[in-house]
Short mmCIF file of all heavy atoms in Angstrom, two decimals:
data_model
loop_
_atom_site.label_atom_id
_atom_site.label_comp_id
_atom_site.label_asym_id
_atom_site.label_seq_id
_atom_site.Cartn_x
_atom_site.Cartn_y
_atom_site.Cartn_z
N TRP A 3 1.39 13.06 -39.60
CA TRP A 3 0.84 11.70 -39.53
C TRP A 3 0.52 11.14 -40.91
O TRP A 3 -0.20 10.17 -41.03
CB TRP A 3 -0.40 11.69 -38.67
CG TRP A 3 -0.08 11.93 -37.23
CD1 TRP A 3 -0.24 13.08 -36.54
CD2 TRP A 3 0.50 10.99 -36.32
NE1 TRP A 3 0.19 12.92 -35.26
CE2 TRP A 3 0.65 11.65 -35.10
CE3 TRP A 3 0.91 9.67 -36.43
CZ2 TRP A 3 1.18 11.02 -33.99
CZ3 TRP A 3 1.44 9.05 -35.32
CH2 TRP A 3 1.57 9.73 -34.12
N TYR A 9 1.49 1.54 -41.17
CA TYR A 9 1.67 0.48 -40.19
C TYR A 9 0.46 0.49 -39.26
O TYR A 9 0.40 1.26 -38.32
CB TYR A 9 2.95 0.68 -39.39
CG TYR A 9 4.17 0.81 -40.27
CD1 TYR A 9 4.72 2.04 -40.55
CD2 TYR A 9 4.74 -0.32 -40.85
CE1 TYR A 9 5.83 2.16 -41.36
CE2 TYR A 9 5.84 -0.21 -41.68
CZ TYR A 9 6.38 1.03 -41.93
OH TYR A 9 7.47 1.14 -42.74
N ASP A 10 -0.48 -0.37 -39.57
CA ASP A 10 -1.71 -0.39 -38.79
C ASP A 10 -1.44 -0.85 -37.37
O ASP A 10 -0.80 -1.88 -37.15
CB ASP A 10 -2.74 -1.30 -39.45
CG ASP A 10 -4.12 -1.13 -38.88
OD1 ASP A 10 -4.43 -0.03 -38.40
OD2 ASP A 10 -4.90 -2.09 -38.93
N GLY A 11 -1.90 -0.09 -36.40
CA GLY A 11 -1.70 -0.44 -35.00
C GLY A 11 -3.03 -0.77 -34.34
O GLY A 11 -4.07 -0.24 -34.70
N HIS A 12 -2.99 -1.67 -33.39
CA HIS A 12 -4.20 -2.06 -32.68
C HIS A 12 -4.36 -1.33 -31.36
O HIS A 12 -5.44 -1.31 -30.79
CB HIS A 12 -4.21 -3.58 -32.46
CG HIS A 12 -4.26 -4.32 -33.75
ND1 HIS A 12 -5.41 -4.48 -34.46
CD2 HIS A 12 -3.28 -4.90 -34.47
CE1 HIS A 12 -5.15 -5.16 -35.57
NE2 HIS A 12 -3.86 -5.41 -35.58
N ILE A 13 -3.26 -0.75 -30.88
CA ILE A 13 -3.28 0.03 -29.65
C ILE A 13 -2.39 1.25 -29.88
O ILE A 13 -1.32 1.13 -30.47
CB ILE A 13 -2.74 -0.78 -28.45
CG1 ILE A 13 -3.61 -2.00 -28.18
CG2 ILE A 13 -2.65 0.10 -27.20
CD1 ILE A 13 -3.04 -2.94 -27.14
N VAL A 14 -2.83 2.39 -29.40
CA VAL A 14 -2.02 3.60 -29.47
C VAL A 14 -1.72 4.05 -28.06
O VAL A 14 -2.63 4.19 -27.24
CB VAL A 14 -2.76 4.74 -30.21
CG1 VAL A 14 -1.97 6.02 -30.16
CG2 VAL A 14 -3.05 4.33 -31.63
N MET A 15 -0.44 4.23 -27.77
CA MET A 15 -0.04 4.73 -26.47
C MET A 15 0.40 6.18 -26.65
O MET A 15 1.05 6.51 -27.64
CB MET A 15 1.12 3.91 -25.91
CG MET A 15 0.73 2.50 -25.63
SD MET A 15 2.02 1.38 -24.99
CE MET A 15 3.46 2.31 -24.82
N TRP A 16 0.00 7.06 -25.72
CA TRP A 16 0.45 8.44 -25.78
C TRP A 16 0.97 8.86 -24.42
O TRP A 16 0.56 8.33 -23.40
CB TRP A 16 -0.64 9.38 -26.30
CG TRP A 16 -1.57 9.91 -25.26
CD1 TRP A 16 -1.46 11.11 -24.61
CD2 TRP A 16 -2.73 9.27 -24.72
NE1 TRP A 16 -2.48 11.25 -23.71
CE2 TRP A 16 -3.28 10.13 -23.76
CE3 TRP A 16 -3.36 8.06 -24.97
CZ2 TRP A 16 -4.42 9.82 -23.06
CZ3 TRP A 16 -4.49 7.75 -24.26
CH2 TRP A 16 -5.01 8.62 -23.32
N ASP A 17 1.88 9.81 -24.45
CA ASP A 17 2.50 10.31 -23.22
C ASP A 17 1.48 11.15 -22.47
O ASP A 17 1.11 12.24 -22.91
CB ASP A 17 3.73 11.13 -23.58
CG ASP A 17 4.53 11.54 -22.37
OD1 ASP A 17 4.03 11.41 -21.23
OD2 ASP A 17 5.66 12.02 -22.56
N GLN A 18 1.01 10.65 -21.36
CA GLN A 18 -0.05 11.31 -20.61
C GLN A 18 0.40 12.58 -19.91
O GLN A 18 -0.42 13.33 -19.40
CB GLN A 18 -0.66 10.36 -19.59
CG GLN A 18 0.25 10.06 -18.41
CD GLN A 18 -0.39 9.08 -17.46
OE1 GLN A 18 -1.28 8.34 -17.81
NE2 GLN A 18 0.07 9.08 -16.22
N ARG A 19 1.70 12.85 -19.89
CA ARG A 19 2.18 14.06 -19.22
C ARG A 19 1.66 15.32 -19.90
O ARG A 19 1.63 16.37 -19.29
CB ARG A 19 3.70 14.07 -19.15
CG ARG A 19 4.26 12.96 -18.27
CD ARG A 19 5.75 12.92 -18.31
NE ARG A 19 6.20 12.63 -19.67
CZ ARG A 19 7.47 12.64 -20.05
NH1 ARG A 19 8.41 12.92 -19.18
NH2 ARG A 19 7.80 12.36 -21.30
N GLY A 20 1.26 15.21 -21.16
CA GLY A 20 0.71 16.36 -21.87
C GLY A 20 -0.78 16.51 -21.69
O GLY A 20 -1.41 17.35 -22.32
N GLY A 21 -1.37 15.66 -20.88
CA GLY A 21 -2.82 15.70 -20.67
C GLY A 21 -3.55 14.96 -21.79
O GLY A 21 -2.97 14.17 -22.52
N ASP A 22 -4.82 15.23 -21.92
CA ASP A 22 -5.65 14.54 -22.90
C ASP A 22 -5.61 15.22 -24.27
O ASP A 22 -6.18 14.73 -25.23
CB ASP A 22 -7.09 14.45 -22.40
CG ASP A 22 -7.81 13.23 -22.92
OD1 ASP A 22 -7.15 12.19 -23.09
OD2 ASP A 22 -9.03 13.32 -23.16
N THR A 24 -3.25 15.50 -26.47
CA THR A 24 -2.60 14.68 -27.49
C THR A 24 -3.58 13.65 -28.03
O THR A 24 -3.65 13.42 -29.24
CB THR A 24 -1.36 13.98 -26.92
OG1 THR A 24 -0.49 14.97 -26.38
CG2 THR A 24 -0.63 13.22 -27.99
N ARG A 25 -4.33 13.03 -27.18
CA ARG A 25 -5.31 12.03 -27.61
C ARG A 25 -6.33 12.68 -28.56
O ARG A 25 -6.67 12.13 -29.59
CB ARG A 25 -6.02 11.42 -26.41
CG ARG A 25 -7.04 10.39 -26.80
CD ARG A 25 -7.69 9.80 -25.56
NE ARG A 25 -8.71 8.84 -25.93
CZ ARG A 25 -9.40 8.14 -25.09
NH1 ARG A 25 -9.18 8.26 -23.81
NH2 ARG A 25 -10.31 7.30 -25.51
N LYS A 26 -6.80 13.86 -28.21
CA LYS A 26 -7.76 14.56 -29.06
C LYS A 26 -7.13 14.90 -30.41
O LYS A 26 -7.76 14.73 -31.45
CB LYS A 26 -8.27 15.83 -28.38
CG LYS A 26 -9.26 16.58 -29.24
CD LYS A 26 -9.85 17.76 -28.52
CE LYS A 26 -10.80 18.59 -29.35
NZ LYS A 26 -11.09 18.21 -30.68
N LEU A 28 -4.77 13.28 -31.94
CA LEU A 28 -4.67 12.05 -32.72
C LEU A 28 -6.02 11.66 -33.31
O LEU A 28 -6.13 11.32 -34.48
CB LEU A 28 -4.14 10.91 -31.84
CG LEU A 28 -2.71 11.02 -31.36
CD1 LEU A 28 -2.39 9.90 -30.38
CD2 LEU A 28 -1.75 11.01 -32.52
N ARG A 29 -7.06 11.72 -32.50
CA ARG A 29 -8.39 11.33 -32.96
C ARG A 29 -8.90 12.25 -34.06
O ARG A 29 -9.65 11.83 -34.94
CB ARG A 29 -9.36 11.32 -31.80
CG ARG A 29 -9.03 10.27 -30.77
CD ARG A 29 -10.01 10.26 -29.67
NE ARG A 29 -11.08 9.35 -30.09
CZ ARG A 29 -12.25 9.27 -29.52
NH1 ARG A 29 -12.52 10.06 -28.52
NH2 ARG A 29 -13.14 8.42 -29.94
N PHE A 34 -4.66 9.60 -39.38
CA PHE A 34 -4.46 8.78 -38.20
C PHE A 34 -5.76 8.11 -37.76
O PHE A 34 -5.76 6.98 -37.31
CB PHE A 34 -3.89 9.62 -37.06
CG PHE A 34 -3.49 8.81 -35.87
CD1 PHE A 34 -2.26 8.23 -35.80
CD2 PHE A 34 -4.38 8.61 -34.83
CE1 PHE A 34 -1.89 7.46 -34.71
CE2 PHE A 34 -4.03 7.85 -33.74
CZ PHE A 34 -2.78 7.28 -33.69
N ILE A 37 -6.67 4.29 -38.75
CA ILE A 37 -6.04 3.05 -38.31
C ILE A 37 -6.94 2.31 -37.33
O ILE A 37 -7.82 2.90 -36.71
CB ILE A 37 -4.62 3.28 -37.71
CG1 ILE A 37 -4.69 4.04 -36.40
CG2 ILE A 37 -3.71 3.97 -38.70
CD1 ILE A 37 -3.38 4.06 -35.65
N THR A 38 -6.73 1.04 -37.21
CA THR A 38 -7.57 0.17 -36.38
C THR A 38 -7.69 0.67 -34.95
O THR A 38 -8.79 0.71 -34.38
CB THR A 38 -7.04 -1.27 -36.40
OG1 THR A 38 -7.02 -1.73 -37.75
CG2 THR A 38 -7.89 -2.19 -35.56
N ALA A 39 -6.58 1.07 -34.35
CA ALA A 39 -6.60 1.52 -32.96
C ALA A 39 -7.53 2.72 -32.78
O ALA A 39 -8.28 2.80 -31.81
CB ALA A 39 -5.20 1.87 -32.49
N ALA A 40 -7.47 3.66 -33.70
CA ALA A 40 -8.32 4.84 -33.61
C ALA A 40 -9.78 4.47 -33.81
O ALA A 40 -10.67 4.95 -33.09
CB ALA A 40 -7.90 5.89 -34.62
N ASP A 43 -11.03 2.92 -30.73
CA ASP A 43 -10.83 3.75 -29.54
C ASP A 43 -9.89 3.07 -28.54
O ASP A 43 -10.12 3.10 -27.33
CB ASP A 43 -12.16 4.11 -28.89
CG ASP A 43 -12.03 5.29 -27.93
OD1 ASP A 43 -11.23 6.20 -28.22
OD2 ASP A 43 -12.73 5.30 -26.90
N ALA A 44 -8.84 2.45 -29.06
CA ALA A 44 -7.88 1.72 -28.23
C ALA A 44 -6.68 2.62 -27.92
O ALA A 44 -5.57 2.42 -28.42
CB ALA A 44 -7.43 0.44 -28.92
N PHE A 45 -6.92 3.64 -27.12
CA PHE A 45 -5.88 4.57 -26.71
C PHE A 45 -5.50 4.26 -25.26
O PHE A 45 -6.38 4.09 -24.42
CB PHE A 45 -6.38 6.01 -26.79
CG PHE A 45 -6.60 6.49 -28.20
CD1 PHE A 45 -7.81 6.27 -28.84
CD2 PHE A 45 -5.60 7.16 -28.88
CE1 PHE A 45 -8.02 6.71 -30.13
CE2 PHE A 45 -5.80 7.61 -30.17
CZ PHE A 45 -7.01 7.39 -30.80
N VAL A 46 -4.22 4.21 -24.99
CA VAL A 46 -3.73 3.89 -23.64
C VAL A 46 -2.75 4.97 -23.20
O VAL A 46 -1.77 5.25 -23.90
CB VAL A 46 -3.04 2.50 -23.62
CG1 VAL A 46 -2.40 2.23 -22.28
CG2 VAL A 46 -4.03 1.41 -23.98
N ALA A 47 -3.04 5.57 -22.06
CA ALA A 47 -2.14 6.58 -21.50
C ALA A 47 -0.86 5.92 -21.02
O ALA A 47 -0.88 4.86 -20.41
CB ALA A 47 -2.82 7.30 -20.35
N TRP A 48 0.26 6.56 -21.29
CA TRP A 48 1.57 6.03 -20.93
C TRP A 48 2.33 7.12 -20.22
O TRP A 48 2.49 8.21 -20.75
CB TRP A 48 2.27 5.59 -22.21
CG TRP A 48 3.75 5.45 -22.17
CD1 TRP A 48 4.63 6.18 -22.93
CD2 TRP A 48 4.54 4.54 -21.42
NE1 TRP A 48 5.91 5.78 -22.67
CE2 TRP A 48 5.88 4.77 -21.75
CE3 TRP A 48 4.24 3.56 -20.49
CZ2 TRP A 48 6.92 4.05 -21.17
CZ3 TRP A 48 5.27 2.84 -19.92
CH2 TRP A 48 6.59 3.08 -20.27
N ASN A 49 2.79 6.87 -19.03
CA ASN A 49 3.57 7.83 -18.27
C ASN A 49 5.04 7.60 -18.60
O ASN A 49 5.71 6.79 -17.98
CB ASN A 49 3.30 7.65 -16.77
CG ASN A 49 3.88 8.78 -15.96
OD1 ASN A 49 4.47 9.70 -16.50
ND2 ASN A 49 3.72 8.70 -14.66
N ALA A 50 5.53 8.32 -19.59
CA ALA A 50 6.87 8.11 -20.12
C ALA A 50 7.92 8.79 -19.24
O ALA A 50 8.50 9.80 -19.61
CB ALA A 50 6.96 8.61 -21.54
N VAL A 51 8.14 8.22 -18.10
CA VAL A 51 9.14 8.75 -17.17
C VAL A 51 10.17 7.67 -16.88
O VAL A 51 9.95 6.49 -17.13
CB VAL A 51 8.50 9.20 -15.83
CG1 VAL A 51 7.52 10.34 -16.05
CG2 VAL A 51 7.84 8.05 -15.13
N TYR A 59 9.98 2.01 -11.10
CA TYR A 59 9.81 1.65 -12.50
C TYR A 59 8.85 0.47 -12.64
O TYR A 59 8.04 0.43 -13.56
CB TYR A 59 11.16 1.32 -13.14
CG TYR A 59 11.19 1.66 -14.60
CD1 TYR A 59 11.64 2.91 -15.02
CD2 TYR A 59 10.74 0.77 -15.56
CE1 TYR A 59 11.65 3.24 -16.36
CE2 TYR A 59 10.74 1.09 -16.89
CZ TYR A 59 11.20 2.33 -17.30
OH TYR A 59 11.19 2.67 -18.61
N VAL A 62 5.38 1.81 -12.63
CA VAL A 62 5.02 2.40 -13.92
C VAL A 62 4.65 1.29 -14.91
O VAL A 62 3.64 1.37 -15.62
CB VAL A 62 6.17 3.26 -14.47
CG1 VAL A 62 5.93 3.66 -15.91
CG2 VAL A 62 6.38 4.50 -13.60
N MET A 63 5.44 0.23 -14.94
CA MET A 63 5.19 -0.87 -15.87
C MET A 63 3.92 -1.64 -15.52
O MET A 63 3.17 -2.06 -16.40
CB MET A 63 6.38 -1.84 -15.90
CG MET A 63 7.63 -1.26 -16.52
SD MET A 63 7.42 -1.00 -18.29
CE MET A 63 7.56 0.76 -18.38
N THR A 65 1.27 -0.40 -14.02
CA THR A 65 0.14 0.46 -14.41
C THR A 65 -0.08 0.37 -15.92
O THR A 65 -1.22 0.24 -16.39
CB THR A 65 0.40 1.92 -14.00
OG1 THR A 65 0.52 1.98 -12.58
CG2 THR A 65 -0.71 2.84 -14.47
N LEU A 66 1.00 0.41 -16.69
CA LEU A 66 0.87 0.29 -18.14
C LEU A 66 0.26 -1.06 -18.52
O LEU A 66 -0.64 -1.12 -19.36
CB LEU A 66 2.24 0.46 -18.82
CG LEU A 66 2.24 0.28 -20.34
CD1 LEU A 66 1.32 1.29 -21.01
CD2 LEU A 66 3.67 0.40 -20.86
N ALA A 67 0.73 -2.12 -17.91
CA ALA A 67 0.18 -3.46 -18.20
C ALA A 67 -1.31 -3.52 -17.89
O ALA A 67 -2.09 -4.08 -18.68
CB ALA A 67 0.94 -4.51 -17.40
N ASP A 68 -1.73 -2.93 -16.79
CA ASP A 68 -3.14 -2.91 -16.43
C ASP A 68 -3.97 -2.16 -17.46
O ASP A 68 -5.10 -2.54 -17.77
CB ASP A 68 -3.36 -2.29 -15.05
CG ASP A 68 -2.82 -3.16 -13.92
OD1 ASP A 68 -2.58 -4.36 -14.14
OD2 ASP A 68 -2.62 -2.62 -12.81
N ARG A 69 -3.42 -1.09 -18.00
CA ARG A 69 -4.13 -0.29 -19.01
C ARG A 69 -4.18 -1.00 -20.36
O ARG A 69 -5.13 -0.82 -21.13
CB ARG A 69 -3.49 1.07 -19.15
CG ARG A 69 -3.69 1.95 -17.94
CD ARG A 69 -2.95 3.25 -18.07
NE ARG A 69 -3.17 4.09 -16.90
CZ ARG A 69 -2.50 5.21 -16.66
NH1 ARG A 69 -1.58 5.63 -17.51
NH2 ARG A 69 -2.73 5.90 -15.57
N LEU A 70 -3.15 -1.75 -20.68
CA LEU A 70 -3.10 -2.46 -21.97
C LEU A 70 -3.99 -3.70 -21.98
O LEU A 70 -4.56 -4.05 -23.01
CB LEU A 70 -1.66 -2.87 -22.28
CG LEU A 70 -0.71 -1.76 -22.71
CD1 LEU A 70 0.73 -2.28 -22.72
CD2 LEU A 70 -1.10 -1.22 -24.06
N GLU A 71 -4.10 -4.36 -20.86
CA GLU A 71 -4.79 -5.66 -20.79
C GLU A 71 -6.19 -5.67 -21.40
O GLU A 71 -6.53 -6.60 -22.14
CB GLU A 71 -4.84 -6.15 -19.34
CG GLU A 71 -5.30 -7.57 -19.24
CD GLU A 71 -5.14 -8.13 -17.83
OE1 GLU A 71 -4.83 -7.37 -16.90
OE2 GLU A 71 -5.31 -9.35 -17.69
N HIS A 73 -7.28 -4.28 -23.91
CA HIS A 73 -7.20 -4.16 -25.36
C HIS A 73 -6.56 -5.38 -26.02
O HIS A 73 -6.44 -5.43 -27.24
CB HIS A 73 -6.43 -2.90 -25.75
CG HIS A 73 -7.05 -1.66 -25.21
ND1 HIS A 73 -8.21 -1.12 -25.71
CD2 HIS A 73 -6.69 -0.86 -24.17
CE1 HIS A 73 -8.53 -0.04 -25.05
NE2 HIS A 73 -7.62 0.13 -24.10
N LEU A 74 -6.15 -6.36 -25.22
CA LEU A 74 -5.47 -7.53 -25.78
C LEU A 74 -6.44 -8.64 -26.09
O LEU A 74 -7.50 -8.74 -25.63
CB LEU A 74 -4.40 -8.02 -24.81
CG LEU A 74 -3.32 -7.00 -24.49
CD1 LEU A 74 -2.36 -7.58 -23.46
CD2 LEU A 74 -2.57 -6.57 -25.73
#
Side-chain angles (χ1 to χ4, degrees):
W3 291 103
Y9 305 101
D10 193 28
H12 296 281
I13 298 172
V14 174
M15 295 179 1
W16 87 95
D17 187 348
Q18 72 181 22
R19 294 175 298 174
D22 210 34
T24 305
R25 180 179 178 178
K26 180 175 177 2
L28 293 174
R29 295 181 89 194
F34 188 85
I37 67 169
T38 302
D43 197 35
F45 291 87
V46 173
W48 160 242
N49 191 0
V51 297
Y59 211 92
V62 169
M63 292 291 116
T65 298
L66 177 60
D68 291 343
R69 291 176 179 171
L70 286 169
E71 190 171 10
H73 301 287
L74 300 177

